[in-house]
Amino acid sequence: MSEKNDKTINFWIHALSAIHVGTGKGAGYIDLPISREKVTNWPYIPGSTIKGVIADYYDASDSGDRREKDKKKKAAFGIAGDNNSSAGSLVFTDARIVCLPVQSLYGTFAWCTSELVLRSLSRDLEWGKLCLEEEIPVAPENKVLVIEGSSLIEKSNKKIYLQELDMDTQICEKTERLAEKIANLVFPDDEEWRKKFKERFTILPENVFNYFSEMGTQVEAKIRIDPNTKVVDKEQGGLWYQEALPAETILTGMVWCDKVYEENIQAKELTDKYCTGKKTIQIGGKNTTGQGRITLSFMEAKNKKED
């Protein structure tokens, strides 16, 4: 990161529909899997994908001479080419998972996370000069941490039913304070959604979260119809399975501006122009079927922790 600009901005992604950011053809039973981290196997969205959709949002995608004509677009996103290519100064990290929505018998769905996910989130927020400022609780084995008044609990036996699993619950004040903090970051201007988030916020044991991050994603069977015969086109791979992150998934990442090589353009000009506010955009594949609709929110400086 440039020493001249230490402005790191956190961004939040809230999936309004399923997101398919894939890795090409898979080797397992899913033909088109989503991107996953090598070590944790948690889903994520690559930073290059996010940078690409932001460039497209500002009509700065790398085609024709749009970036050549606009120095700020060229400085922010770079240009391609064999002889005169340059890297853009905006650096987007991968968007990592914060909360995975899981079907619940009560409350419709739960926003699930784990201690390790929260510790990674806390580390990233501090780098961006934000802070959870709360102690992260650890879910006991075979118990789920929830807040007082959670909409996920069956009242007679105090259990929670997530997909095919039923688990005991434990009311936790630290979990409630964390839910409040994250709700304020993800839904800063929407009191009703902050309330819905807190009612559905859960901290799972690590192995249970890992199970849902692998088995709780959305998998759909797709078929290709031969236009002439009107039946499944077997020669072109007529049946395949496609994976997506479900709607309501929440992810976060960071962006900063590295050294700017264009004259008379400051790093702050680029972050102020391209990395502010809240946007509803499309990301990933299958946009013609409505997939990939998200809100992308950049955290305003007024919410940052003081040095």
Side-chain angles (χ1 to χ4, degrees):
M1 192 187 318
S2 169
E3 294 180 356
K4 295 181 180 179
N5 175 42
D6 62 353
K7 184 179 180 182
T8 300
I9 300 171
N10 291 93
F11 63 82
W12 293 83
I13 291 175
H14 177 209
L16 304 180
S17 65
I19 305 173
H20 176 77
V21 178
T23 58
K25 192 170 179 60
Y29 71 94
I30 297 176
D31 300 289
L32 297 176
I34 57 176
S35 300
R36 291 180 177 275
E37 296 178 353
K38 180 68 175 178
V39 175
T40 63
N41 205 35
W42 297 337
Y44 77 104
I45 298 177
S48 57
T49 301
I50 299 164
K51 188 173 182 177
V53 297
I54 290 294
D56 188 58
Y57 179 86
Y58 286 101
D59 195 28
S61 54
D62 191 19
S63 60
D65 56 358
R66 278 177 287 188
R67 293 185 188 174
E68 283 284 4
K69 291 180 178 178
D70 189 317
K71 286 189 174 181
K72 283 188 179 178
K73 291 179 181 177
K74 181 180 177 183
F77 302 106
I79 55 173
D82 294 332
N83 300 319
N84 60 346
S85 62
S86 64
S89 297
L90 291 181
V91 180
F92 286 81
T93 69
D94 297 337
R96 306 186 70 190
I97 193 80
V98 176
C99 288
L100 183 72
V102 175
Q103 182 185 19
S104 172
L105 184 61
Y106 296 90
T108 309
F109 73 93
W111 263 302
C112 299
T113 188
S114 74
E115 179 212 356
L116 190 56
V117 170
L118 292 171
R119 291 201 180 281
S120 298
L121 170 64
S122 181
R123 181 182 58 197
D124 289 347
L125 289 179
E126 288 184 10
W127 204 44
K129 299 185 179 179
L130 293 168
C131 187
L132 286 178
E133 295 178 335
E134 294 294 343
E135 185 180 347
I136 296 172
V138 180
E141 187 175 1
N142 297 324
K143 280 195 175 182
V144 175
L145 300 181
V146 295
I147 71 166
E148 183 75 42
S150 171
S151 62
L152 306 171
I153 302 174
E154 203 284 324
K155 290 187 171 62
S156 63
N157 59 16
K158 306 298 182 187
K159 281 182 174 289
I160 188 171
Y161 297 86
L162 300 177
Q163 292 190 1
E164 69 275 23
L165 300 183
D166 63 283
M167 302 180 70
D168 293 325
T169 59
Q170 179 176 313
I171 306 296
C172 175
E173 292 183 2
K174 294 176 184 175
T175 299
E176 185 162 358
R177 292 196 293 270
L178 271 172
E180 179 82 30
K181 291 277 185 181
I182 297 173
N184 290 337
L185 291 167
V186 180
F187 307 105
D189 303 318
D190 195 326
E191 184 177 353
E192 189 59 31
W193 272 106
R194 289 200 297 272
K195 180 184 176 193
K196 299 292 184 189
F197 178 84
K198 288 184 287 185
E199 290 174 345
R200 289 165 174 77
F201 183 72
T202 65
I203 300 178
L204 304 178
E206 215 64 53
N207 59 337
V208 178
F209 179 81
N210 291 340
Y211 170 78
F212 282 127
S213 71
E214 184 171 353
M215 305 302 292
T217 54
Q218 187 167 316
V219 178
E220 298 175 329
K222 301 285 186 180
I223 59 172
R224 180 179 291 112
I225 301 296
D226 187 315
N228 298 316
T229 63
K230 307 301 181 185
V231 298
V232 175
D233 186 351
K234 296 180 180 178
E235 292 185 1
Q236 297 297 322
L239 171 65
W240 74 95
Y241 291 92
Q242 173 183 303
E243 186 180 29
L245 274 170
E248 306 301 340
T249 300
I250 294 172
L251 308 100
T252 188
M254 295 176 289
V255 57
W256 62 85
C257 189
D258 216 330
K259 185 175 181 179
V260 181
Y261 291 95
E262 288 290 325
E263 293 183 354
N264 303 319
I265 294 179
Q266 303 300 314
K268 189 173 185 304
E269 293 179 59
L270 299 183
T271 52
D272 287 350
K273 184 173 179 63
Y274 299 113
C275 305
T276 57
K278 179 179 178 180
K279 302 164 177 56
T280 300
I281 56 179
Q282 193 277 332
I283 193 168
K286 314 305 175 186
N287 61 320
T288 57
T289 59
Q291 291 202 2
R293 198 163 61 90
I294 65 168
T295 58
L296 176 62
S297 305
F298 294 96
M299 189 53 58
E300 300 293 336
K302 63 182 180 181
N303 294 326
K304 284 177 176 292
K305 183 182 71 172
E306 297 296 330
D307 289 328

